[in-house]
Amino acid sequence: MLRLRELSRRVEAVYGEIAETFSDYQQRQGLQCRSGCGECCLAPTIEATVLEMLPLALHLFDQGKAEQTLSDLGQLTQQQSCVFYQKLSFDGKQGQCSIYQHRPSICRMFGAAGYRDKTGQTSLSVCKTIKSDHPAKYQQSVIMLQSSPPPLMMQSKEQVNELDYQLGNRHYPINTALQLALEQVLFKASYSFDQPDQQIA
Ligand code: SF4
């Protein structure tokens, strides 16, 4: 159980670096998200590994909410957007994350991030809302790809997932990844009940 806690601490340490790296780039280039925008969270295609959801699963366990959350996730009948997104507008485009401190790595890169294109060159991916809010800044960022390259999304995700091959080698829809992470935590907890580390993980 201690192993899961230690692993989670290491994941969170990398999360701190990722958030800073991506936020620095977005601020430097003037590509910040629109205030209150939650469009990225609406997409049911957001994926994460079980490892990326481990800090959140442990947080829910510590709050006594692991079983209830697992049960809620089990009621989902189809792939849908993240259950932790709180819509604040009728169309759902305005909203907020209810577990912001524990969000997985992909959520720390929303907005503007780099990726390798088919030729292996660094390209820039920027959401359509930021592009329309800051068209000149976006153009300038594309021109500056060589002199001011964006941090690479895959590289940052690998930084996390290489911490544990078994939990970090496969991506799932975000709700499924959390479900599997909670199952891991509850399974370990049931075996460590009689041991000194009763807090699990
Ligand atoms: S974890 Fe938070 S930031 Fe990530 S998709 Fe869900 S609501 Fe959005």
Side-chain angles (χ1 to χ4, degrees):
M1 290 312 256
L2 281 169
R3 184 182 161 273
L4 281 191
R5 287 234 184 255
E6 176 53 29
L7 196 50
S8 176
R9 274 191 282 275
R10 293 168 67 196
V11 169
E12 286 177 303
V14 179
Y15 277 177
E17 288 172 30
I18 291 175
E20 201 176 314
T21 303
F22 281 80
S23 166
D24 280 356
Y25 175 78
Q26 290 165 7
Q27 283 184 22
R28 191 168 66 243
Q29 300 302 127
L31 298 173
Q32 294 97 333
C33 295
R34 187 183 292 180
S35 176
C37 179
E39 269 201 79
C40 288
C41 305
L42 271 181
T45 49
I46 296 171
E47 291 193 336
T49 63
V50 176
L51 181 61
E52 290 171 57
M53 303 310 283
L54 184 59
L56 174 58
L58 284 168
H59 169 71
L60 292 168
F61 178 84
D62 291 340
Q63 301 273 306
K65 295 177 180 168
E67 284 95 346
Q68 185 57 54
T69 307
L70 193 56
S71 162
D72 293 346
L73 288 167
Q75 306 296 315
L76 301 180
T77 51
Q78 57 183 19
Q79 190 174 330
Q80 65 179 59
S81 51
C82 178
V83 292
F84 292 103
Y85 180 57
Q86 294 178 334
K87 294 177 185 173
L88 297 174
S89 67
F90 184 71
D91 63 5
K93 291 182 178 177
Q94 293 282 305
Q96 64 188 20
C97 174
S98 59
I99 45 88
Y100 191 76
Q101 295 300 322
H102 307 283
R103 68 201 189 286
S105 38
I106 183 72
C107 309
R108 294 162 196 261
M109 308 174 202
F110 283 161
Y115 68 97
R116 297 258 189 244
D117 65 19
K118 287 178 188 162
T119 65
Q121 301 296 307
T122 298
S123 287
L124 178 63
S125 169
V126 173
C127 88
K128 62 181 188 325
T129 305
I130 295 178
K131 276 186 200 170
S132 81
D133 283 355
H134 311 289
K137 299 268 175 58
Y138 169 63
Q139 288 302 330
Q140 186 66 17
S141 300
V142 172
I143 292 167
M144 292 172 69
L145 268 178
Q146 297 295 326
S147 60
S148 183
L152 298 173
M153 197 181 295
M154 282 313 293
Q155 205 172 59
S156 294
K157 277 182 79 71
E158 276 165 21
Q159 243 184 300
V160 176
N161 289 317
E162 69 186 12
L163 294 173
D164 187 284
Y165 177 76
Q166 197 185 353
L167 298 179
N169 74 344
R170 185 166 168 199
H171 285 78
Y172 300 89
I174 190 167
N175 294 324
T176 306
L178 176 61
Q179 200 170 351
L180 295 171
L182 284 168
E183 285 171 1
Q184 280 280 331
V185 167
L186 289 169
F187 175 75
K188 296 283 185 190
S190 68
Y191 276 91
S192 62
F193 186 71
D194 293 331
Q195 295 173 11
D197 175 34
Q198 290 184 10
Q199 281 190 313
I200 84 124

